[in-house]
Amino acid sequence: MRLHRLSVRAFGPFAQTVEVDFDAVATNGLFLIRGATGAGKTSLLDAVVFALYADVPGARSKKGLHSGHADRGVVPQVALDFTAAGRLFRVERSPEFSRPRARGGGETTVPAKAVLFERRGTQWAALSTRHDEIAEIIQDVLGLGLEQFSKVVLLPQGDFAAFLSATPEQRRTLLERLFDVSDFTGVEAWLADRRRETGAELQGHQAALAADLGTLQDVLAGAPVAASDTDWSASSADDLPGALRSAQETLATETDRALAELDAARLADQAAARALTEGQDLVGRRDRVLAAQASLASLAESQELHDEAVAALEAAARAAEVRGELTAFARAGEAVRVAAERVASVEPVLGGLAATNAPMPLLEDLLARLAAGERLVGQARDRVAASRARRDLVATLATSLRRLQDEYATVDAALTQAIEDQRVADAAVSAAKDAQSDLADLGNQVNTLSRLCRLRADDEADAQDLELEQVALGAARETAQGLRERYQNLYQARLDGLAAELAAGLHSGEPCPVCGSASHPSPAVTAVPVTADEVAAAEQAWQEAAADTAAHAERLAGLTAARAARQPELGKESRDLDELAEALTTARGQLDLVTAVAARGPALKLAAAEAARMTGDLVRARTILHDEVTVAGTALTDARRELTGDRDAGSELLAEHGRVCPCMAAQVGAGALLADAERTHELVTRAVHERIQAVRELAAAEQSQSEIQAELTRALADHDFASLEQASSSLLDRQTVAELRRQTTEYDSARAAAQGVLDDPTLVGALDTPAPDLAALRQATTEARAALLNAVAAETLLRRSLDSLLRLSLSLTRRCTAISGAAARYDALRELADVVAGTSSDNALRMRLSAFVLAARLEKVATLANERLATMGEGRYRLRHTDGLAARGARSGLGLEVFDLWTGQARETSSLSGGESFMASLALALGLADAVREEAGGFDLQTLFVDEGFGTLDDDSLEQVLEVLDGLREGGRAVGVVSHVAELRSRIPAQIVVDKSEHGSRVRLLGVDDAAPAA
């Protein structure tokens, strides 16, 4: 895998777009990434990781990647071009971020986006926009996950320095993330799961056994035998079979005895019930005979009432046959009465128009005259309605004429104003044409003044910064010189005191590690010992001061060059910044005014055209309104003339009505309201019609009454009724007839039932037998039934207890067998799982199975690391895997130690100095990278990054480390060194420089042919 180009925008400290051309900066294979602390060196590496894996390594969160220097609405984006597995890819990602809502308050969350392209020929082809698909493709072509990539490609020295001094368990955690030991951890998990499952199975069987024993205790708790006294919950699995058999035998014996007692109680209960039934039957027969005798005596006393009811029912039956004639006669009389009342009710309405005894022809002539008068009133009403409508039309036409006259006046005034507006619009169009010709000259003038103001302001600001940088550079140089002298003095003192430090470790009788002598006649001493940490701290302070001095010098050179570049253009301008700003403000005001006038040109042309169109429209509208006013006046005159004719015709119709219908003179006069006349005509006409109809109905009702009376007289004689009143009184309603029939039927039924009992010899003979004692018989039956129920309950309890005991015995026996098998399996799996998990006493090192496998990987890593460490540190040290037993029972098997070839002794990795620790961790990181690459199938990593740690090296060690890094460039590999050590700037010419400012960080490329600043 090789990186080609990285583009970053609004990401981390980078507000603007930043681009890094790795192909250009890695031409020689080795390049330096440097910058001040917090500038964003590590953020560039985070951008690479985020582009590939949509996440950042370490404890940093991917939710806060949006740059705080960029505008909240700018979308953060990272784009990376890289080659992997012989294919060229480009991945573009945007992390999730929050921005202000476009409408309203609050914020909205913008989701993460990603696109993966592949170069095919001369075009980029999109492979996917789904996060999961992109992750699968990158995992397939790289062969590394996020954790592996961040440790194998980025080589963070701080992590591997911690790895050197970590505990075996901490090393196991890191190695598990880098090496795939999932098969072995799966075995550990499988055994642990099986141990839990078998343990749970054993506990389940034991819990089920305890539950069954509790059930057994409850079942036998009520049994009246000795087995119920046994404490079954305390019984062991070995004792259960014998105890269960004994309980079964006892319960079986007691059940047989209870069954015999139940049979005897059942026979006694049957005999008592039979005696009680026979006694109750005898008493019942005696009671029936006595009741029949009493019933016959009572019925004899009510014989007369029964005969009267029979006679009433016979008379009611005859009267029912003439009920229709009686009803018809009554209805005829009612009809005559109603007709007479109706004739009488019509007379007051007619008044003097018709006498009470007026003949029918007179009434009919009156109807004809009323009809003719009603027609005349209707015609007069129509004339009045027409005149009313005509009057409304006159009012409408008058209103319309006034409205048209008002509109004519309004249009005439608008036409005058439109002619004036057209004149003003034409003048504005001419002014806009003049402004358009001056627009270009004013724009050039504003651009020139704006550029001069910007150059003058930048020059004055750089002049002030130049003075400050000159002062700061002098102070930085003095500080760096003083720190350099202090470091040299401490370093020399350290060298001078090494002999005394070595002498401090000599003991009488022990050989000297340098000369081997056991005698130490004159050990060296020093007054003020200097430690290696003090020397390293002094060197670090000197290197930082030197880097600060170089930064000040670089900024001073940049400011001087910037001012020199501006002089060719500023030398021709004598005005200062205030004068230029005032001239620019004036020019901009003129330009804005002219621009505004010129910009209105098209709109003014449209306005002029619109004014001309409006004038023409108003001229045409005024002509049309003049014609409409003339027509409306003519229509109004005609309508008024027709209204006068309608009124005259109405008066003539009312006079004709008085001649045709003089009988209505009192109700309808020439001056009466037409609505009252119509109502009066309608009332009188309806009254005459009702009088004629009432007279006819009265005559018909009287004729019908005579005919019905004759039929009624014949029907009464046929049914033996002497008069109408006798027939009417014999009629009975349905309820009374039903009640009389019920009484006679009940009387006959009661008499027949009583006589039937007295005619039965078996019932009458019961009086000759003495009555039994039913109370004694019931008491004997109750006692026999209670004895039977007790026997049934006892037998049922014993039988159920025996059945439950038999059923539970089978379950308990199977449960004991299952417990034995589960206990054997659990013991075997527990022992094996504890050994594999490293918790068993048989595992002395307390190593997990996966840690045992990782120990082999760690040996391989140490071997590969020693190949690089042999070049560094003059070949003195070797890393060595050890499985020594850790202190206080901690897990062992993944230990690391350093073997010193000069002394032939092994020691803890924590005893290495700062520089030695850096070289060892670098060698370990490179070895681990090689091992992971082999584990991943030999994927070739063409780009590596080494992050920090070089400040702890002396000159010789730095040379040795750089020699190792040079060796990494074999095969075209690119190696990026992340450091702010000043010495590396002269050793590594190709550099990526990250500069920070209050507006966000920027990136420059140095030592690249034809390279301009990247951002």
Side-chain angles (χ1 to χ4, degrees), residues 38-55:
K41 302 186 297 296
T42 304
S43 295
L44 286 178
L45 304 184
D46 288 346
V48 172
V49 176
F50 180 79
L52 294 174
Y53 297 100
D55 203 348

PDB file of all heavy atoms in Angstrom, residues 38-55:
ATOM      1  N   GLY A  38       1.239  21.299  18.569  1.00  0.00           N
ATOM      2  CA  GLY A  38      -0.154  21.671  18.378  1.00  0.00           C
ATOM      3  C   GLY A  38      -0.482  22.197  17.002  1.00  0.00           C
ATOM      4  O   GLY A  38      -1.618  22.603  16.748  1.00  0.00           O
ATOM      5  N   ALA A  39       0.511  22.196  16.089  1.00  0.00           N
ATOM      6  CA  ALA A  39       0.247  22.709  14.742  1.00  0.00           C
ATOM      7  C   ALA A  39      -0.659  21.773  13.954  1.00  0.00           C
ATOM      8  O   ALA A  39      -1.460  22.220  13.133  1.00  0.00           O
ATOM      9  CB  ALA A  39       1.560  22.925  13.993  1.00  0.00           C
ATOM     10  N   GLY A  40      -0.512  20.460  14.165  1.00  0.00           N
ATOM     11  CA  GLY A  40      -1.366  19.527  13.446  1.00  0.00           C
ATOM     12  C   GLY A  40      -0.612  18.440  12.707  1.00  0.00           C
ATOM     13  O   GLY A  40      -1.129  17.885  11.734  1.00  0.00           O
ATOM     14  N   LYS A  41       0.610  18.110  13.170  1.00  0.00           N
ATOM     15  CA  LYS A  41       1.357  17.029  12.511  1.00  0.00           C
ATOM     16  C   LYS A  41       0.598  15.713  12.631  1.00  0.00           C
ATOM     17  O   LYS A  41       0.409  14.993  11.637  1.00  0.00           O
ATOM     18  CB  LYS A  41       2.754  16.904  13.161  1.00  0.00           C
ATOM     19  CG  LYS A  41       3.601  18.172  13.098  1.00  0.00           C
ATOM     20  CD  LYS A  41       5.004  17.943  13.614  1.00  0.00           C
ATOM     21  CE  LYS A  41       5.037  17.540  15.085  1.00  0.00           C
ATOM     22  NZ  LYS A  41       4.536  18.592  15.963  1.00  0.00           N
ATOM     23  N   THR A  42       0.176  15.395  13.848  1.00  0.00           N
ATOM     24  CA  THR A  42      -0.553  14.146  14.048  1.00  0.00           C
ATOM     25  C   THR A  42      -1.925  14.188  13.376  1.00  0.00           C
ATOM     26  O   THR A  42      -2.447  13.153  12.962  1.00  0.00           O
ATOM     27  CB  THR A  42      -0.722  13.875  15.555  1.00  0.00           C
ATOM     28  OG1 THR A  42       0.576  13.864  16.163  1.00  0.00           O
ATOM     29  CG2 THR A  42      -1.394  12.543  15.803  1.00  0.00           C
ATOM     30  N   SER A  43      -2.502  15.385  13.208  1.00  0.00           N
ATOM     31  CA  SER A  43      -3.795  15.490  12.549  1.00  0.00           C
ATOM     32  C   SER A  43      -3.725  15.071  11.091  1.00  0.00           C
ATOM     33  O   SER A  43      -4.705  14.571  10.531  1.00  0.00           O
ATOM     34  CB  SER A  43      -4.334  16.921  12.651  1.00  0.00           C
ATOM     35  OG  SER A  43      -4.595  17.257  13.994  1.00  0.00           O
ATOM     36  N   LEU A  44      -2.554  15.276  10.436  1.00  0.00           N
ATOM     37  CA  LEU A  44      -2.399  14.783   9.063  1.00  0.00           C
ATOM     38  C   LEU A  44      -2.497  13.262   9.028  1.00  0.00           C
ATOM     39  O   LEU A  44      -3.132  12.685   8.144  1.00  0.00           O
ATOM     40  CB  LEU A  44      -1.054  15.236   8.482  1.00  0.00           C
ATOM     41  CG  LEU A  44      -0.946  16.715   8.101  1.00  0.00           C
ATOM     42  CD1 LEU A  44       0.454  17.017   7.596  1.00  0.00           C
ATOM     43  CD2 LEU A  44      -1.967  17.083   7.031  1.00  0.00           C
ATOM     44  N   LEU A  45      -1.854  12.603  10.014  1.00  0.00           N
ATOM     45  CA  LEU A  45      -1.937  11.145  10.072  1.00  0.00           C
ATOM     46  C   LEU A  45      -3.360  10.707  10.429  1.00  0.00           C
ATOM     47  O   LEU A  45      -3.862   9.693   9.915  1.00  0.00           O
ATOM     48  CB  LEU A  45      -0.947  10.609  11.106  1.00  0.00           C
ATOM     49  CG  LEU A  45       0.519  11.028  10.908  1.00  0.00           C
ATOM     50  CD1 LEU A  45       1.394  10.341  11.931  1.00  0.00           C
ATOM     51  CD2 LEU A  45       0.989  10.702   9.496  1.00  0.00           C
ATOM     52  N   ASP A  46      -4.041  11.470  11.305  1.00  0.00           N
ATOM     53  CA  ASP A  46      -5.441  11.157  11.604  1.00  0.00           C
ATOM     54  C   ASP A  46      -6.308  11.252  10.342  1.00  0.00           C
ATOM     55  O   ASP A  46      -7.234  10.454  10.144  1.00  0.00           O
ATOM     56  CB  ASP A  46      -5.981  12.127  12.661  1.00  0.00           C
ATOM     57  CG  ASP A  46      -5.396  11.848  14.038  1.00  0.00           C
ATOM     58  OD1 ASP A  46      -4.799  10.770  14.217  1.00  0.00           O
ATOM     59  OD2 ASP A  46      -5.536  12.707  14.923  1.00  0.00           O
ATOM     60  N   ALA A  47      -6.011  12.235   9.486  1.00  0.00           N
ATOM     61  CA  ALA A  47      -6.776  12.376   8.245  1.00  0.00           C
ATOM     62  C   ALA A  47      -6.584  11.159   7.343  1.00  0.00           C
ATOM     63  O   ALA A  47      -7.531  10.679   6.707  1.00  0.00           O
ATOM     64  CB  ALA A  47      -6.360  13.659   7.516  1.00  0.00           C
ATOM     65  N   VAL A  48      -5.352  10.631   7.292  1.00  0.00           N
ATOM     66  CA  VAL A  48      -5.097   9.426   6.480  1.00  0.00           C
ATOM     67  C   VAL A  48      -5.912   8.245   7.025  1.00  0.00           C
ATOM     68  O   VAL A  48      -6.580   7.517   6.277  1.00  0.00           O
ATOM     69  CB  VAL A  48      -3.591   9.094   6.471  1.00  0.00           C
ATOM     70  CG1 VAL A  48      -3.354   7.738   5.805  1.00  0.00           C
ATOM     71  CG2 VAL A  48      -2.817  10.178   5.757  1.00  0.00           C
ATOM     72  N   VAL A  49      -5.876   8.050   8.349  1.00  0.00           N
ATOM     73  CA  VAL A  49      -6.591   6.936   8.959  1.00  0.00           C
ATOM     74  C   VAL A  49      -8.097   7.113   8.778  1.00  0.00           C
ATOM     75  O   VAL A  49      -8.827   6.155   8.476  1.00  0.00           O
ATOM     76  CB  VAL A  49      -6.219   6.821  10.451  1.00  0.00           C
ATOM     77  CG1 VAL A  49      -7.033   5.714  11.111  1.00  0.00           C
ATOM     78  CG2 VAL A  49      -4.741   6.547  10.605  1.00  0.00           C
ATOM     79  N   PHE A  50      -8.602   8.358   8.961  1.00  0.00           N
ATOM     80  CA  PHE A  50     -10.047   8.579   8.816  1.00  0.00           C
ATOM     81  C   PHE A  50     -10.500   8.310   7.386  1.00  0.00           C
ATOM     82  O   PHE A  50     -11.580   7.758   7.161  1.00  0.00           O
ATOM     83  CB  PHE A  50     -10.397  10.021   9.216  1.00  0.00           C
ATOM     84  CG  PHE A  50     -11.854  10.320   9.106  1.00  0.00           C
ATOM     85  CD1 PHE A  50     -12.738   9.902  10.085  1.00  0.00           C
ATOM     86  CD2 PHE A  50     -12.358  10.997   8.000  1.00  0.00           C
ATOM     87  CE1 PHE A  50     -14.095  10.156   9.971  1.00  0.00           C
ATOM     88  CE2 PHE A  50     -13.706  11.253   7.890  1.00  0.00           C
ATOM     89  CZ  PHE A  50     -14.577  10.838   8.878  1.00  0.00           C
ATOM     90  N   ALA A  51      -9.686   8.707   6.391  1.00  0.00           N
ATOM     91  CA  ALA A  51     -10.059   8.451   4.999  1.00  0.00           C
ATOM     92  C   ALA A  51     -10.198   6.956   4.734  1.00  0.00           C
ATOM     93  O   ALA A  51     -11.090   6.523   3.992  1.00  0.00           O
ATOM     94  CB  ALA A  51      -9.023   9.057   4.064  1.00  0.00           C
ATOM     95  N   LEU A  52      -9.335   6.142   5.351  1.00  0.00           N
ATOM     96  CA  LEU A  52      -9.361   4.703   5.090  1.00  0.00           C
ATOM     97  C   LEU A  52     -10.411   3.986   5.934  1.00  0.00           C
ATOM     98  O   LEU A  52     -11.103   3.083   5.438  1.00  0.00           O
ATOM     99  CB  LEU A  52      -7.986   4.102   5.357  1.00  0.00           C
ATOM    100  CG  LEU A  52      -6.861   4.550   4.409  1.00  0.00           C
ATOM    101  CD1 LEU A  52      -5.534   3.994   4.872  1.00  0.00           C
ATOM    102  CD2 LEU A  52      -7.139   4.100   2.974  1.00  0.00           C
ATOM    103  N   TYR A  53     -10.569   4.383   7.218  1.00  0.00           N
ATOM    104  CA  TYR A  53     -11.367   3.577   8.145  1.00  0.00           C
ATOM    105  C   TYR A  53     -12.537   4.336   8.776  1.00  0.00           C
ATOM    106  O   TYR A  53     -13.217   3.799   9.652  1.00  0.00           O
ATOM    107  CB  TYR A  53     -10.476   3.027   9.256  1.00  0.00           C
ATOM    108  CG  TYR A  53      -9.407   2.096   8.757  1.00  0.00           C
ATOM    109  CD1 TYR A  53      -8.101   2.542   8.580  1.00  0.00           C
ATOM    110  CD2 TYR A  53      -9.706   0.783   8.423  1.00  0.00           C
ATOM    111  CE1 TYR A  53      -7.108   1.694   8.100  1.00  0.00           C
ATOM    112  CE2 TYR A  53      -8.725  -0.079   7.961  1.00  0.00           C
ATOM    113  CZ  TYR A  53      -7.427   0.387   7.790  1.00  0.00           C
ATOM    114  OH  TYR A  53      -6.460  -0.468   7.318  1.00  0.00           O
ATOM    115  N   ALA A  54     -12.764   5.603   8.395  1.00  0.00           N
ATOM    116  CA  ALA A  54     -13.876   6.397   8.957  1.00  0.00           C
ATOM    117  C   ALA A  54     -13.772   6.531  10.463  1.00  0.00           C
ATOM    118  O   ALA A  54     -14.782   6.651  11.157  1.00  0.00           O
ATOM    119  CB  ALA A  54     -15.227   5.788   8.570  1.00  0.00           C
ATOM    120  N   ASP A  55     -12.554   6.524  10.987  1.00  0.00           N
ATOM    121  CA  ASP A  55     -12.328   6.653  12.425  1.00  0.00           C
ATOM    122  C   ASP A  55     -10.896   7.140  12.625  1.00  0.00           C
ATOM    123  O   ASP A  55     -10.087   7.154  11.674  1.00  0.00           O
ATOM    124  CB  ASP A  55     -12.552   5.313  13.134  1.00  0.00           C
ATOM    125  CG  ASP A  55     -12.881   5.495  14.621  1.00  0.00           C
ATOM    126  OD1 ASP A  55     -12.699   6.621  15.120  1.00  0.00           O
ATOM    127  OD2 ASP A  55     -13.313   4.521  15.255  1.00  0.00           O
TER     128      ASP A  55
END
